[in-house]
């Protein structure tokens, strides 16, 4: 029998443990959770395992390889673009599942009798069997009701207190017949519990629940993670510890580990391989110590979980905390109950990390500091408060009201007292909350606020130059992550603030160098209600209104439930265009990628049915868009970049376009046709805005992924104006989108992302520069390496916000792109592995 190991989770609730590890690779008793699951499968003679991966897939592939070292055969299925959901990713590998198969979660710990569950499934001739268990508190799980024959007749996902009708819950382990996958759509996000199982129930398919005996723990939260470790150590579940010697009952010690004779170790405890436990160290029962760990003299360890490679200094006190990979805790420091210190961090001498505090990876806590709040945005080697677009983080986790008040005060403290700042936001409640907190912080340091309230960011940027302000702030859901908030700062021209201005804000924030205004000096708040009128007048001045009026165009606009009361259709209707609007109501939760793709497919069908000129899906608070041609086919990414460049340069030959460093070389090919100029910039929005504003004769800036800039209108990205401009250009040029697409150059442009810790990025870039001839290099942003001409290149670009590098390959030769991506992916992977090993060795030598 084959098993599908669901291992794509990013484990957001387990952060910072999962900042640089996928959730199934988080260790329990010094071995990844997924390894314990694979051991369970092997013990039940299930040795063909397909792991579905999404978040940091290389980590798991590197650890397990082909599975031979673990007594199984491993294959991997990676969701490259967007997660497909629990059922969607299994549907994606349906061709590999031609007989009864088992699905099991890669982020739970269990000892269920899978053999008995499979026997039950076959005896019932079930199409789908859910492995169930009984728990005291079912509110966090999917509750399942079965009849007297164990046939399932009801589901309820995560019930409230009043809805609990059973303590029997879904464990995420299923035994399925391959034909049930026929009920699922291909390449579409779908979930077992929410989609497939209710549908099977509705269709009357035989579906049973096998109530399993034994231990089961869904490792979804930090406190549960610690309890699972302690349960395993106490023997509530028997996990494989055969690689350690049980030197006395309840004490397991690895190979080549030294424990000083004067050290005291209570049981149960686990001490890994190649460890050094110093003189007079006291280790309480319940402590778990990874491989290659050094513990200095007189340290006192009360039930900590210490990951591989950590260095614990003399007289350190650890209390029921988690110390992650290769972290250093210096002498006399204290880390208290429930705290988590992320990988590659450093806790200085006599510092104290308070109870339940979370410290993100690669942080440094200074000597003597007392840390009583989560250190997420604090200083570290290569990461700052500001990212590519502004300040970004998990809504109401990283970006909280308290954080926003302090950020607003820090920004205001860099401005002259009595200055004014505009504040705008998208229409969601979370953005309203954050903007109000920013306003409070600004006013507290004597800055007045012009409140634009719920306003699309292109409108806010246009207004900036017409009112007397020192700058502006816009708050919205991040275009890249639906659970993130993005706070953007721009200057009096509407351009994102410079790196120097960002550094000033960061300095005020981290040093808490915040001005405090007296009561008479507190800032005032006013409202500007003419923003739409100002934008509309500017919009109309930059358009060929007669061309639009003459076009009689029919356009279908999909707002993906992100806006209420759309502005653009009103403007287009004013000039005789028929704008059909879809999904122009507001949902507080952003849609998932799968839901967006479904709506995009729906948009294509509507465009064809209405014989519309084209369709457009608008996102990112009016900045970004995806076009849909008259045949219902989506145009996005590099194709959209090339199409917009073609449109604009056809009407403006000898013009200039500004694109990011990683854009396809199709841009240069088109520019050569029209004797035009291409300017490439760093791969961030601020660089694009500045270049589009400063250079002469620029007719277009941006890219299909970031959005497009029309500098004559305002300096920012504007999806609304872009739509109107497409109508104008198509009318003047008498071409359809399909005809324009057919004229675009045929360039292969692909990308791949590889894990690269913050501590390795600089040395990786240096290695790439030193190992290639200088005349083949461009160092505008990242390292671009040319190969036999300007249109053949590979770019290795470090991510500004994640421990990742992105590899882009571009050529007219498809095979060259495939081989080059493969080559540089292996190069980066090998370099990271080697450098991390050297860092660990140096820490041991210097420790």
């Amino acid at each position: 029998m084959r098993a599908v190991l669901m291992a794509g989770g990013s484990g957001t609730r387990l952060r910072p443990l999962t900042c640089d590890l996928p959730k199934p690779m988080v260790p329990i008793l010094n071995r990844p959770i997924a390894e314990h699951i694979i051991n369970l499968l092997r013990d039940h003679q299930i040795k063909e395992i397909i792991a579905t991966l999404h978040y940091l897939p290389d980590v798991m592939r590197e650890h397990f390889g082909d599975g031979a070292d673990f007594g199984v055969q491993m294959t991997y299925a990676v969701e490259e673009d967007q997660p497909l959901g629990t059922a969607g990713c299994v549907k994606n590998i349906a061709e590999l599942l031609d007989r009864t198969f088992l699905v099991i979660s890669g982020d739970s710990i269990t000892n269920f009798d899978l053999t008995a569950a499979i026997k039950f499934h076959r005896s019932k001739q079930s199409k789908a069997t859910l492995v169930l268990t009984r728990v005291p508190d079912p509110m966090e799980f999917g509750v399942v009701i079965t009849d007297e024959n164990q046939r399932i007749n009801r589901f309820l996902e995560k019930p409230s207190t009043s809805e609990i009708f059973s303590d029997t819950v879904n464990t995420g382990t299923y035994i399925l017949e391959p034909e049930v996958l026929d009920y699922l759509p291909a390449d579409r996000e779908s979930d077992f519990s929410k989609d497939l199982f209710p549908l099977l129930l509705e269709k009357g398919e035989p579906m049973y629940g096998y109530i399993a005996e034994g231990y089961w723990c869904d490792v979804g939260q930090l406190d549960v993670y610690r309890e699972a470790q302690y349960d395993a150590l106490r023997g509530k579940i028997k996990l494989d510890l055969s690689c350690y010697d049980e030197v006395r009952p309840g004490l397991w010690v690895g190979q080549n580990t030294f424990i000083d004779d004067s050290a005291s170790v209570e049981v149960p405890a686990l001490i890994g391989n190649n460890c050094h436990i110093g003189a007079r160290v006291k280790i309480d029962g319940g402590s778990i110590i990874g491989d290659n760990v050094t513990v200095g003299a007189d340290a006192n360890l009360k039930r900590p979980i210490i990951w591989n490679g950590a260095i614990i200094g003399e007289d350190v006190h650890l209390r029921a905390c988690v110390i992650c990979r290769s972290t250093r805790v210096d002498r006399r420091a204290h880390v208290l109950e429930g705290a988590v210190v992320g990988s590659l961090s450093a806790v200085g001498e006599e510092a104290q990390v308070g109870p339940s505090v979370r410290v993100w990876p690669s942080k440094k806590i200074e000597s003597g500091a007392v840390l009583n709040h989560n250190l997420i945005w604090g200083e570290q080697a290569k990461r700052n408060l500001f990212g590519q677009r502004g300040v970004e983080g998990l809504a109401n986790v990283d970006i909280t009201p308290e954080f926003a008040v302090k950020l607003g005060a820090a920004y205001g403290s860099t401005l002259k007292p009595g200055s004014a700042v505009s504040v705008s936001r998208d229409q969601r409640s979370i953005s309203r909350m954050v903007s109000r907190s920013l306003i409070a912080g600004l006013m507290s340091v004597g800055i007045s606020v012009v409140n634009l309230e719920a306003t699309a960011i292109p409108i806010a940027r246009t207004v900036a130059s017409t009112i007397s302000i020192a700058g502006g702030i816009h708050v919205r859901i991040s275009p890249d992550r639906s659970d993130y908030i993005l706070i953007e700062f721009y200057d009096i021209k509407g351009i994102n603030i410079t790196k120097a201005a960002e550094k000033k804000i960061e300095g005020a924030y981290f040093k808490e160098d915040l001005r405090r205004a007296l009561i008479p000096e507190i800032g005032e708040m006013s409202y500007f209600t003419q923003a739409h009128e100002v934008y509309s007048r500017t919009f109309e001045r930059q358009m060929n209104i007669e061309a639009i009026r003459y076009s009689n165009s029919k356009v279908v606009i999909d707002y993906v439930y992100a806006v209420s009361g759309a502005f653009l259709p009103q403007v287009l209707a004013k000039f005789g265009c028929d704008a059909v609007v879809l999904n122009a109501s507001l949902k507080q939760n952003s849609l998932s990628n799968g839901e967006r793709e479904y709506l995009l497919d729906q948009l294509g069908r509507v465009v064809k049915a209405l014989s519309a000129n084209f369709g457009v899906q608008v996102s990112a608070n009016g900045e970004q868009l995806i076009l849909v041609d008259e045949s219902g086919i989506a145009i996005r990414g590099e194709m959209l970049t090339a199409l917009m460049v073609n449109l604009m340069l056809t009407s403006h030959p000898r013009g200039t376009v500004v694109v990011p460093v990683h854009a396809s070389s199709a841009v240069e090919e088109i520019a050569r046709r029209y004797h035009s100029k291409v300017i490439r910039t760093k791969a961030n929005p601020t660089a694009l805005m500045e270049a589009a504003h400063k250079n002469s004769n620029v007719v277009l800036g941006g890219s299909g992924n970031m959005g497009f800039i029309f500098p004559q209108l305002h300096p920012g990205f504007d999806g609304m104006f872009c739509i109107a401009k497409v109508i104008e250009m198509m009318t003047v040029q008498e071409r359809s989108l399909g005809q324009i697409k057919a004229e675009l150059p045929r360039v292969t442009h692909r990308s791949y992302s590889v894990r690269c810790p913050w501590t390795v990025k600089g040395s990786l870039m240096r290695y790439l520069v030193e190992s290639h001839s200088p005349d083949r290099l461009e160092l505008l942003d990242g390292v671009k390496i040319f190969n036999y001409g300007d249109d053949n290149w590979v770019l290795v670009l470090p991510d500004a916000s994640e421990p990742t590098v992105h590899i882009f390959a571009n050529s007219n030769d498809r095979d060259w792109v495939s081989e080059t991506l493969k080559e540089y992916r292996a190069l980066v992977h090998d370099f990271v592995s080697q450098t991390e090993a050297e860092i660990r060795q140096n820490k041991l030598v210097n420790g």
Side-chain angles (χ1 to χ4, degrees), residues 167-243:
D167 63 352
T168 307
V169 300
N170 179 2
T171 66
T173 300
Y174 316 121
I175 304 157
L176 305 174
E177 296 302 318
E179 53 264 32
V180 302
L181 299 180
D182 295 339
Y183 285 101
L184 293 171
D187 300 320
R188 188 79 54 78
E189 184 175 2
S190 55
D191 184 84
F192 280 119
S193 298
K194 296 177 183 175
D195 301 312
L196 179 60
F197 295 152
L199 182 58
L200 293 179
L201 201 62
E202 179 186 324
K203 298 292 185 182
E205 294 282 12
M207 186 163 46
Y208 288 83
Y210 173 77
I211 301 175
E213 300 293 332
Y215 182 91
W216 176 75
C217 179
D218 177 27
V219 186
Q221 299 182 26
L222 290 170
D223 57 343
V224 177
Y225 171 72
R226 289 189 296 271
E227 284 306 312
Q229 297 262 20
Y230 301 144
D231 285 349
L233 197 58
R234 290 193 295 260
K236 290 183 70 173
I237 177 173
K238 185 174 177 57
L239 299 180
D240 182 12
L241 292 174
S242 59
C243 57

Side-chain angles (χ1 to χ4, degrees), residues 420-423 439 442-443 447-451 523-527:
V421 167
S422 68
V423 177
I439 289 169
L442 287 163
M443 293 174 66
I447 301 299
S448 292
V449 172
V450 180
N451 194 344
E524 302 288 341
M525 186 166 71
S526 59
Y527 293 88

Side-chain angles (χ1 to χ4, degrees), residues 9-179:
S10 59
T12 302
R13 291 180 298 166
L14 279 180
R15 289 191 173 183
L17 305 185
T18 53
C19 286
D20 54 1
L21 280 180
K23 187 177 174 185
M25 295 303 291
V26 169
I28 298 280
L29 298 191
N30 298 345
R31 295 291 178 267
I33 296 172
E35 186 172 324
H36 296 301
I37 293 296
I38 287 170
N39 289 341
L40 176 70
L41 292 169
R42 184 196 61 222
D43 292 346
H44 287 276
Q45 302 305 308
I46 303 172
K47 297 183 180 181
E48 293 183 51
I49 301 171
I50 305 166
T52 61
L53 310 177
H54 179 69
Y55 177 67
L56 300 177
D58 289 343
V59 177
M60 189 164 184
R61 284 191 291 214
E62 179 184 349
H63 183 85
F64 291 106
D66 62 5
D69 291 344
F70 302 88
V72 297
Q73 178 186 322
M74 294 288 296
T75 55
Y76 304 93
V78 181
E79 300 171 68
E80 298 283 3
D81 300 319
Q82 73 270 339
L84 294 171
T86 57
C89 66
V90 177
K91 171 69 173 181
N92 207 34
I93 55 171
E95 69 276 6
L96 302 177
L97 305 169
D98 55 357
R99 57 187 184 275
T100 305
F101 64 95
L102 181 139
V103 176
I104 191 165
S105 169
D107 48 26
S108 60
I109 293 292
T110 184
N111 60 0
F112 287 159
D113 187 342
L114 301 180
T115 302
I118 294 165
K119 184 178 179 182
F120 172 90
H121 172 83
R122 287 173 171 155
S123 70
K124 296 290 186 180
Q125 296 185 324
S126 176
K127 293 293 186 185
T129 296
L130 282 64
V131 178
L132 312 175
T133 193
R134 293 191 170 97
V135 297
D137 181 9
M139 290 179 63
E140 289 299 313
F141 308 103
V143 172
V144 180
I145 282 287
T146 60
D147 63 18
E148 63 277 7
N149 294 316
Q150 285 80 55
R151 184 158 180 162
I152 294 171
N153 54 34
R154 191 175 175 191
F155 292 99
L156 185 62
E157 272 293 301
K158 296 185 180 179
S160 64
T161 305
S162 61
E163 293 175 317
I164 294 173
F165 50 77
S166 173
D167 63 352
T168 307
V169 300
N170 179 2
T171 66
T173 300
Y174 316 121
I175 304 157
L176 305 174
E177 296 302 318
E179 53 264 32

Side-chain angles (χ1 to χ4, degrees), residues 509-577:
Y509 182 92
F510 291 128
K511 296 173 185 175
E512 302 205 359
D513 186 13
L514 309 176
R515 188 170 62 229
R516 284 287 173 245
L518 300 175
I519 290 176
E521 301 168 339
I522 296 295
E524 302 288 341
M525 186 166 71
S526 59
Y527 293 88
F528 185 74
T529 57
Q530 292 84 43
H532 281 79
E533 289 79 359
V534 170
Y535 178 75
S536 183
R537 288 195 298 270
T538 309
F539 187 105
E540 291 176 27
R541 283 199 300 269
Q542 299 300 327
M543 294 298 304
N544 183 339
I545 299 302
E546 289 306 312
I548 295 178
R549 185 174 282 118
Y550 175 76
S551 71
N552 293 318
S553 294
K554 179 181 285 186
V555 182
V556 185
I557 307 175
D558 177 15
Y559 282 98
V560 292
Y561 298 109
V563 67
S564 177
F567 165 78
L568 180 62
Q570 302 168 29
V571 175
L572 294 179
K574 182 178 174 182
F575 304 122
C577 289

Side-chain angles (χ1 to χ4, degrees), residues 11 15 23 104 115 142 144 217 308 389 507 629 706 773 817 844:
R15 289 191 173 183
K23 187 177 174 185
I104 191 165
T115 302
V144 180
C217 179
N308 297 349
R389 289 176 173 265
D629 69 15
M706 290 189 188
S773 172
V817 168
L844 284 173

Side-chain angles (χ1 to χ4, degrees), residues 51 87 96 113 329 385 426 460 486 557 574 603 704 736 769 816 829:
L96 302 177
D113 187 342
V329 184
L385 197 63
D426 68 18
L486 173 62
I557 307 175
K574 182 178 174 182
L603 173 61
S736 69
V769 170
W816 184 88
H829 180 272

